[in-house]
Amino acid sequence: MPSLTVKLMRILFVIPAIGDVYGGPSKTVIDLAQALNHQEVTVDIVTTNANGSSSLDISLQKWLNKPGYRIQYFPYLSIRDYKWSTSFANWLFRHVRDYDLVHSNAIFSLPNAPAHWACQRYGIPYIMTPHGMLEPWALSYKGWKKKLYYSLLERPALNRASAIQTLASAEASHIQNLLLKSPMVVIPNGIHQQDFANLPDPNFFYQSFPSTRGKTILLFLGRIDPKKGLDLLAPAFAQIRSQFPSAHLVIAGPDNIGFLPTAQSYFAKEKCFDDVTFTGMLTGNLKLSALAAASVYVAPSYSEGFSVSVLEGMASGLPCVITTACNFPEAAQAEAAHVVEIEVLAIAKALRYCLHDPEAAQAIGKRARQFVFQHYSWENIGQQMLTVYQDILLSRSKLVSTLN
């Protein structure tokens, strides 16, 4: 069998949904596809048109050409927490043989299951990326459902994968405890350095949210979700608010599970709701402008794979306060972020330090920016992923040659 060159490689990305409301994984799948395209790899993406409680208004079951990749959307049915697409499943069984390798993203999602079954049936290697959904907190949330689903569907699929991509060394350590058979590779998410070279004028953000003008902004950038730790951030913010009266918290992110009223109640309970602005999801220049307006970035999460928004905060030169659950010990080792325990007092202490000593906070932000630019560019990550794909396909080629 001739050796597989880079230019011949065709990769299929499978993800259950890619709407903006789903946060980081939707963006990183597209970013990785574009990074691989720069390595002369052909990438197609297939997904459903799910977008939280609604559906994307987009052409279905036809290829749409995008910069660096093609994408095809399929209709779906939704039953409570689960989605299913018969047309998606049928397409996968008809077409996985058109690709050298399949890369599935997300677990505990029915639309992805036929991709693994089709690959097993036709002998196509596949990689699975859980995106933090095998973290201990994530497994315990709605745990009885996940335990059954994991035993019946996910564990068999994971054990037959050619590799499991984890986004951080800590995530890999946690998955090792599950005693899966497949090898693991650690390849993180990244950022596009050019997006953060010159941030836009913060006035763009102030014009959209006038109550934040003249304030010292603490920025939370992520989905409104139980795992994001807003119940910890509320009392932490209340503690530092009395000492720094100009402090104002911006909660920027989508609510695709109806958790917003609960999140707002945390701040009402702590009597600091008037000093908090919920912006909804920010994208493009408005998000970058929010980063430019902020003085501190905060991620009080209970569970993450490897947060893109943390990288964005660091790339923006902000002092970042993140919990150990963000799986980024490297940032602490480089003295490029405050990495704290998952508790109110620790979060409040780090926020207080950033506001009390702006000069030291700026120095941390500068180190953060340099650290992320040096180690977490999509160009480097695309090359790392390409190497993994090549190794899998080369091993498979050698096995086929041996059997023949």
Side-chain angles (χ1 to χ4, degrees), residues 136-199:
W137 187 95
L139 286 174
S140 66
Y141 183 67
K142 298 183 179 179
W144 70 269
K145 289 183 181 180
K146 287 179 178 173
K147 185 175 182 179
L148 179 62
Y149 193 108
Y150 178 78
S151 298
L152 292 176
L153 295 177
E154 293 300 356
R155 186 176 180 87
L158 287 160
N159 275 329
R160 292 175 181 141
S162 296
I164 300 168
Q165 180 207 358
T166 64
L167 303 174
S169 56
E171 184 187 12
S173 296
H174 294 147
I175 293 177
Q176 281 178 344
N177 295 329
L178 299 175
L179 303 177
L180 297 169
K181 299 175 183 177
S182 299
M184 281 186 287
V185 295
V186 180
I187 299 179
N189 292 322
I191 55 102
H192 295 291
Q193 184 171 331
Q194 65 271 21
D195 292 344
F196 300 90
N198 295 290
L199 292 175

Side-chain angles (χ1 to χ4, degrees), residues 144-348:
W144 70 269
K145 289 183 181 180
K146 287 179 178 173
K147 185 175 182 179
L148 179 62
Y149 193 108
Y150 178 78
S151 298
L152 292 176
L153 295 177
E154 293 300 356
R155 186 176 180 87
L158 287 160
N159 275 329
R160 292 175 181 141
S162 296
I164 300 168
Q165 180 207 358
T166 64
L167 303 174
S169 56
E171 184 187 12
S173 296
H174 294 147
I175 293 177
Q176 281 178 344
N177 295 329
L178 299 175
L179 303 177
L180 297 169
K181 299 175 183 177
S182 299
M184 281 186 287
V185 295
V186 180
I187 299 179
N189 292 322
I191 55 102
H192 295 291
Q193 184 171 331
Q194 65 271 21
D195 292 344
F196 300 90
N198 295 290
L199 292 175
D201 192 328
N203 275 313
F204 184 36
F205 178 76
Y206 297 142
Q207 288 167 6
S208 299
F209 304 97
S211 64
T212 64
R213 189 181 294 275
K215 303 292 185 178
T216 302
I217 293 176
L218 284 63
L219 179 63
F220 167 95
L221 195 61
R223 287 181 291 120
I224 311 300
D225 187 278
K227 79 171 188 174
K228 296 297 184 177
L230 293 174
D231 59 326
L232 302 176
L233 184 55
F237 177 64
Q239 285 185 30
I240 63 108
R241 179 68 181 82
S242 59
Q243 189 176 350
F244 302 96
S246 68
H248 191 90
L249 180 62
V250 171
I251 307 289
D255 171 30
N256 59 324
I257 62 170
F259 193 66
L260 179 60
T262 301
Q264 290 173 329
S265 73
Y266 298 147
F267 296 94
K269 179 182 176 182
E270 299 294 335
K271 298 180 172 54
C272 59
F273 184 79
D274 290 343
D275 299 308
V276 181
T277 297
F278 287 83
T279 66
M281 186 169 185
L282 302 180
T283 59
N285 278 340
L286 187 55
K287 180 177 74 172
L288 293 173
S289 181
L291 288 162
S295 296
V296 182
Y297 170 96
V298 58
S301 295
Y302 287 107
S303 178
E304 294 285 349
F306 189 73
S307 171
V308 175
S309 68
V310 170
L311 291 178
E312 291 174 339
M314 294 175 71
S316 300
L318 291 174
C320 295
V321 176
I322 65 177
T323 62
T324 53
C326 291
N327 287 337
F328 207 179
E330 296 84 357
Q333 293 160 10
E335 298 183 340
H338 294 278
V339 181
V340 303
E341 295 300 320
I342 311 167
E343 57 185 31
V344 172
L345 291 178
I347 296 166

